[in-house]
Amino acid sequence: MEHNTVTQMRFSGFGGQGVVLSSIIFADTLTKQGYNVVQTQSYGIEARGGASRGEILFGKEEINYLKVVSPDILLALSQESCDKYVKDISPEGIVICDSFYIEKLPEINKKQLFAAPLTKIALDELGNDLFTNILALGFINGITNLVSQKNLEEAVLARVPERYYEANRKALQRGYEEAAKLKVN
Amino acid sequence: MAKYELLQGNQACALGALKAGVEFCAGYPITPASEVMEILAEKLPETGGRFIQMEDEIAGMGAIIGASVMGKKVLTPTSGPGFDLKQENLAFAAMAEIPCVVVNVQRSGPSTGGATISAQGDLMQAKYGTSGDSPRIVLYPNSVKEIYGTTITAFNLAEKYMTPVILLMDETIGHMRENVCLDEFDNVEIINRKFPDVAPENYHPYEPDETGIVKLAPFANGKGYRYVINGMHHTIDGMPSLTPENIYKTISRINDKVERYKEDIWQWEEQQTEDADIIIFAAGCVSRSASEAVKQLRAAGHKVGLFRPISIWPFPDEPLAKAIKNAKMVLVAEMNRGQLIHKVKEIATDNLKVVPLNIYDGTVIMPEHIIQSIKEAAK
Amino acid sequence: MSYLDYIKEKQFPLFTCAGCTHGTVTNTFLRVADELKLDKENTVIVCAIGCAGRIPTFLDFNVLRVTHGRALAFATGVKLSRPDVKVIVFMGDGDAVAIGGNHFIHAARRNIDITAIISHNEIYGMTGGQYAPTTLQGFKATTAPYGMIEPAFDVCELAKGAGSTYVARSDVYHINHLHKVMKNALTHKGFSTLEVITSCPTQFGRRNKMADPIKLVERIRDITVTQTAAEKMSVEELKDKIVIGEFVKTERPELTEIYEEKLGKLRKN
């Protein structure tokens, strides 16, 4: 991602998967790490049940762009969002997929594709697919190492209710570990 | 060390209002402005202020004027369809010289249009939406941090000039989050309206001193300043009057003060205009894309600059005239069918080419649109 | 003090037409104000447009005269921002229940401590005699040249339904009754509604063969019945009558007090 002074991220899925919240949490973390950050989201009919997305632009310089055009990092939690946005990615952009929902993985360079059954892990190990978005954050950071895992955890806890602290910590850690597995492979 | 935090535009507006000393907010739910009201509903009780959700937009505007008459600093947030309804009492505030801040987070119109769709369609309405010749101060920030600062400025100008001030925002910026550091506002100047400096028996609320600015005593002030506040043409005591003299005086006074102090009110930003052949004129969110376009075009060796009005009304005509004096072309980029371009054309000399770029399909104007327009126009 | 201390004498005479009975409402208010020793420094009168809305500018109070129908919206801001201040709203019937109908029902619902005095003259006088939502069927107006065809609002029933905690109706003929209920309305805590049947000889009377102001007041005498009398009358007998009296006198938590009770503790100093 050296070619861009501004890095573009898109978090996508269907309404209810919490992709907007995960983009806000990641933006919080980037802010803490001293980046200039712009975070936006799509609203409206699109965001209720249909495709939903949260976006981040960040870098060391002032950010003039108002929206993401070609993501360097695309998180797709649904087949629809994956199909819709994969064509937008930058030449060296990576796609991070939840293979639980995305049966048909995009046909791109394997080096740019990272997939794990995030929703299944959340269901099996955390007992609720509501934790998928936080698990995905850990997974993204495990792959990209853009921010410190500690700062990311603090940002997560600042945006979730106290009674879910432990579950969210676990989700974040579990996602991070899942990324490590891919690297070993 | 500077402390950065991630804030949403609408959140920055609410926090800026609190910094400015807002004491009363009344409003009606509307997308994309509701967050401003929601945050003030939570925070105002903590500062001893009051919040109420009214039965409609008209009542929201009425209630804040009522509270301002009692000496409170007041705000109401809204968007297009609600801004239509605010006009009635906005005119009252202008006529009766009651300070208040109206936030319009613009969405695509007319009518219901698109609640979360960004557009810059209310730039003329903000100035000309009401009946009669009515003054208006309209500020138009382009970033989350600037929203915080201009909200404070909006309150200061309202209190200083005893007039409503509109804070225009774009849905794009209102709903955007950015990392901001607000340390520089720690000691920001906060202006409060002046109390009368004559004895109650000599007090004529609508007879200003040489400054031209009325000093309206808050009602029920306990000091004996009792009078009438009235949306009809009025005497120096606020009594209804339809004599030519009083009609002329009322209309002149409310408008002249904004004209007279325009240099104090004007705010604008210029980027590399000194040697520019081509100047992009853009306000609100579009100015950020324009800024990026300037950067990229300069890197390619083109002499391009940016003029961005922050106060769009009163329109910064003299600063703009100065900035475009040596330019050959001005590109006016707006997310509407062409509104402020009329002001630019008024100022432009005959040998200056004024080119419009209008996108009003709900997407935002991107740097690439601007660069392409400039290239086509320069052919 | 006398009631004359509550007016701005040098602004008089009033602009109202000869024979207009809005003055009777004003007169009664001044006498009640004097009796209650209303603190004019700490009282705000809000009014708006129309004949009834303009009269308060002649009174020596803090007077906020606003846009048509919106008096209660402004008054809500006045009262909520300064709960210690007494707020009285003067309106006409068109002001209160046509253009301002929404504000009226919501002010009543909130039970905010405001007294609304509504002069009901069945017509838009200032604008030249158009029909009001209170014009009875059959009567003529400039916009009802063949007679009013719409049913009329019952302002007191509306107030009652919306939750006003004091609701009374009186008229300009029974001035002792008017005096009594106005005093009760002004001392009631919560949202109080006082509807006063008044007369407009210029715009209503002339068009309806009652140009003589005395005849109009006599009509009011003839069509009004007290609550006690009304109880003994049949539905048929009450058909063209207007009942005067106090219909609601109840207590309910008042808005600014609830605000203080629920939210006052959040204040950080």
Side-chain angles (χ1 to χ4, degrees):
Chain A
M1 276 156 271
E2 294 299 311
H3 61 285
N4 271 342
T5 52
V6 173
T7 304
Q8 307 186 34
M9 299 177 79
R10 179 174 291 160
F11 298 65
S12 65
F14 53 76
Q17 283 184 308
V19 291
V20 172
L21 177 64
S22 57
S23 73
I24 294 170
I25 291 170
F26 207 79
D28 275 330
T29 318
L30 290 162
T31 298
K32 180 141 198 215
Q33 301 214 179
Y35 286 103
N36 283 327
V37 184
V38 164
Q39 183 277 337
T40 65
Q41 56 263 298
S42 74
Y43 282 97
I45 298 158
E46 247 199 336
R48 306 213 173 102
S52 173
R53 66 177 201 265
E55 298 182 337
I56 299 173
L57 299 127
F58 73 94
K60 290 289 179 189
E61 293 172 29
E62 190 183 5
I63 296 167
N64 291 324
Y65 273 89
L66 299 166
K67 61 173 191 182
V68 164
V69 181
S70 51
D72 300 297
I73 299 161
L74 170 66
L75 170 71
L77 296 184
S78 73
Q79 187 73 56
E80 186 192 351
S81 62
C82 182
D83 297 348
K84 189 171 171 186
Y85 298 130
V86 72
K87 56 183 182 297
D88 294 342
I89 61 163
S90 65
E92 289 166 47
I94 62 168
V95 181
I96 297 169
C97 292
D98 180 356
S99 54
F100 179 78
Y101 279 116
I102 306 171
E103 291 171 359
K104 196 173 153 285
L105 290 170
E107 289 168 11
I108 55 171
N109 186 335
K110 288 282 173 275
K111 282 181 186 165
Q112 290 171 267
L113 181 67
F114 301 86
L118 302 174
T119 301
K120 187 175 187 316
I121 299 170
L123 280 169
D124 292 351
E125 299 180 27
L126 299 155
N128 199 325
D129 62 352
L130 282 175
F131 298 110
T132 307
N133 62 338
I134 303 302
L135 204 126
L137 278 176
F139 191 56
I140 293 169
N141 204 36
I143 293 160
T144 61
N145 276 304
L146 281 168
V147 293
S148 97
Q149 190 70 2
K150 182 176 158 289
N151 286 343
L152 186 56
E153 184 182 299
E154 275 175 24
V156 169
L157 299 188
R159 297 265 182 189
V160 300
E162 207 173 329
R163 63 185 185 281
Y164 296 124
Y165 276 6
E166 215 28 65
N168 279 299
R169 269 199 199 103
K170 266 173 79 179
L172 191 66
Q173 186 54 27
R174 185 62 188 82
Y176 192 77
E177 285 163 8
E178 193 64 21
K181 280 189 204 168
L182 292 183
K183 282 182 181 169
V184 175
N185 298 343
Chain B
M1 202 186 113
K3 190 181 157 290
Y4 280 86
E5 57 191 315
L6 189 75
L7 285 186
Q8 194 194 38
N10 286 346
Q11 191 183 4
C13 177
L15 297 179
L18 288 162
K19 179 77 183 173
V22 67
E23 294 163 290
F24 191 94
C25 171
Y28 188 80
I30 190 165
T31 305
S34 294
E35 291 90 350
V36 179
M37 189 168 81
E38 289 164 357
I39 295 164
L40 290 175
E42 186 189 331
K43 299 286 181 196
L44 276 173
E46 295 176 1
T47 60
R50 295 278 190 276
F51 166 79
I52 186 166
Q53 183 173 311
M54 292 301 283
E55 54 273 16
D56 58 32
E57 296 274 6
I58 297 169
M61 189 69 209
I64 66 158
I65 298 171
S68 183
V69 163
M70 305 312 284
K72 308 296 181 187
K73 288 191 176 181
V74 301
L75 173 146
T76 187
T78 192
S79 184
F83 196 51
D84 288 348
L85 294 169
K86 300 288 189 210
Q87 298 298 325
E88 174 190 276
N89 288 331
L90 195 51
F92 178 88
M95 182 63 152
E97 303 182 66
I98 311 298
C100 55
V101 174
V102 178
V103 178
N104 174 6
V105 187
Q106 292 173 98
R107 60 191 247 185
S108 177
S111 190
T112 308
T116 56
I117 305 299
S118 201
Q120 301 182 313
D122 309 343
L123 310 184
M124 300 307 259
Q125 183 196 19
K127 168 72 177 88
Y128 296 106
T130 60
S131 59
D133 284 314
S134 175
R136 208 71 83 237
I137 297 173
V138 183
L139 307 177
Y140 198 8
N142 80 343
S143 72
V144 173
K145 183 178 168 183
E146 198 171 86
I147 286 170
Y148 185 86
T150 44
T151 304
I152 299 169
T153 308
F155 275 93
N156 282 346
L157 293 174
E159 296 279 319
K160 193 172 180 182
Y161 297 118
M162 300 299 284
T163 194
V165 176
I166 314 287
L167 184 74
L168 263 193
M169 283 161 57
D170 295 308
E171 184 279 336
T172 306
I173 313 286
H175 274 161
M176 174 187 277
R177 288 179 182 80
E178 288 188 280
N179 63 309
V180 292
C181 174
L182 303 176
D183 291 354
E184 71 189 74
F185 298 103
D186 281 352
N187 299 310
V188 68
E189 186 191 16
I190 302 294
I191 298 173
N192 298 309
R193 71 191 79 168
K194 289 191 172 128
F195 197 82
D197 45 15
V198 296
E201 56 272 24
N202 300 324
Y203 180 55
H204 302 291
Y206 290 100
E207 185 180 51
D209 59 18
E210 67 290 343
T211 64
I213 313 296
V214 297
K215 296 185 180 81
L216 298 185
F219 272 7
N221 51 70
K223 294 192 170 73
Y225 297 87
R226 277 190 312 283
Y227 60 101
V228 178
I229 291 176
N230 182 4
M232 197 167 153
H233 293 299
H234 39 267
T235 67
I236 55 174
D237 294 317
M239 286 297 284
S241 171
L242 295 180
T243 65
E245 188 203 354
N246 280 325
I247 294 171
Y248 175 79
K249 269 167 79 173
T250 305
I251 298 175
S252 300
R253 186 178 63 250
I254 63 173
N255 287 285
D256 285 351
K257 59 185 177 184
V258 173
E259 174 65 22
R260 176 171 164 188
Y261 294 105
K262 64 185 180 187
E263 287 179 29
D264 180 50
I265 299 165
W266 279 340
Q267 284 186 52
W268 74 94
E269 185 199 352
E270 289 180 46
Q271 287 177 13
Q272 304 187 65
T273 49
E274 302 81 12
D275 65 338
D277 297 325
I278 298 167
I279 288 176
I280 307 164
F281 177 97
C285 69
V286 178
S287 65
R288 294 171 63 133
S289 298
S291 194
E292 183 65 24
V294 169
K295 202 165 99 185
Q296 293 183 19
L297 288 165
R298 281 275 172 181
H302 303 286
K303 286 185 177 173
V304 180
L306 166 70
F307 186 94
R308 169 171 81 98
I310 301 169
S311 59
I312 62 167
W313 304 107
F315 190 78
D317 40 18
E318 287 161 36
L320 177 64
K322 214 173 137 197
I324 61 177
K325 199 174 61 197
N326 297 319
K328 295 185 181 72
M329 182 177 110
V330 178
L331 179 87
V332 183
E334 301 180 86
M335 282 156 55
N336 54 43
R337 283 176 59 93
Q339 297 194 6
L340 289 183
I341 193 170
H342 297 293
K343 291 301 293 182
V344 177
K345 280 181 176 167
E346 250 176 50
I347 291 155
T349 48
D350 290 344
N351 47 9
L352 182 78
K353 194 171 160 188
V354 180
V355 180
L357 166 59
N358 302 112
I359 292 183
Y360 49 90
D361 61 0
T363 60
V364 292
I365 293 182
M366 297 295 282
E368 295 70 26
H369 296 126
I370 295 171
I371 293 167
Q372 194 194 340
S373 288
I374 287 178
K375 284 184 175 163
E376 277 169 19
K379 265 180 202 165
Chain C
M1 290 268 290
S2 99
Y3 68 91
L4 289 174
D5 292 325
Y6 289 96
I7 60 170
K8 289 183 275 203
E9 242 183 309
K10 64 176 181 192
Q11 302 289 351
F12 274 68
L14 282 183
F15 59 90
T16 45
C17 309
C20 169
T21 51
H22 279 347
T24 309
V25 181
T26 313
N27 192 310
T28 308
F29 171 72
L30 293 172
R31 286 167 199 277
V32 173
D34 184 42
E35 248 176 78
L36 295 174
K37 300 289 169 235
L38 275 190
D39 176 6
K40 50 189 185 180
E41 266 291 287
N42 221 38
T43 301
V44 174
I45 293 181
V46 188
C47 54
I49 302 302
C51 305
R54 187 162 171 184
I55 292 174
T57 61
F58 293 79
L59 307 181
D60 186 16
F61 286 90
N62 303 286
V63 178
L64 176 59
R65 182 182 178 231
V66 301
T67 42
H68 194 19
R70 316 301 176 205
L72 283 169
F74 283 70
T76 300
V78 169
K79 182 69 187 178
L80 188 57
S81 66
R82 278 287 303 275
D84 61 308
V85 165
K86 182 156 194 65
V87 183
I88 304 163
V89 174
F90 283 90
M91 293 178 283
D93 38 10
D95 214 16
V97 298
I99 188 166
N102 199 24
H103 312 307
F104 180 61
I105 58 174
H106 286 276
R109 170 180 67 82
R110 294 185 181 109
N111 196 33
I112 187 166
D113 188 19
I114 292 172
T115 304
I117 298 173
I118 304 165
S119 291
H120 167 146
N121 63 0
E122 297 182 62
I123 203 82
Y124 282 80
M126 191 77 90
T127 45
Q130 297 80 8
Y131 70 79
T134 46
T135 307
L136 297 173
Q137 283 175 331
F139 284 97
K140 287 183 176 171
T142 53
T143 47
Y146 310 108
M148 174 69 164
I149 58 168
E150 300 173 24
F153 246 142
D154 182 325
V155 177
C156 287
E157 282 299 318
L158 183 65
K160 201 169 141 186
S164 182
T165 46
Y166 177 91
V167 180
R169 183 186 290 125
S170 190
D171 64 80
V172 290
Y173 180 82
H174 299 96
I175 53 164
N176 289 332
H177 181 261
L178 176 61
H179 189 104
K180 187 187 93 180
V181 295
M182 194 179 288
K183 199 168 164 182
N184 288 346
L186 285 165
T187 49
H188 175 81
K189 181 191 257 174
F191 189 78
S192 50
T193 307
L194 170 60
E195 181 190 13
V196 188
I197 310 296
T198 63
S199 55
C200 175
T202 306
Q203 301 293 10
F204 182 79
R206 278 192 306 143
R207 281 190 185 83
N208 291 288
K209 298 184 178 141
M210 289 179 286
D212 178 356
I214 304 295
K215 283 222 171 95
L216 262 184
V217 175
E218 283 170 353
R219 169 180 170 258
I220 290 175
R221 177 196 63 196
D222 297 340
I223 62 169
T224 49
V225 290
T226 62
Q227 268 169 302
T228 336
E231 277 165 19
K232 295 175 193 132
M233 291 166 73
S234 68
V235 175
E236 189 56 31
E237 284 170 318
L238 279 170
K239 205 178 138 246
D240 293 318
K241 301 291 185 193
I242 295 175
V243 183
I244 61 167
E246 292 176 301
F247 309 113
V248 179
K249 267 176 118 168
T250 182
E251 277 185 32
R252 206 153 58 78
E254 189 273 332
L255 180 75
T256 62
E257 286 188 0
I258 307 173
Y259 199 104
E260 187 54 34
E261 186 197 319
K262 303 275 184 201
L263 305 177
K265 56 179 178 276
L266 298 170
R267 202 171 295 142
K268 295 172 189 165
N269 277 322

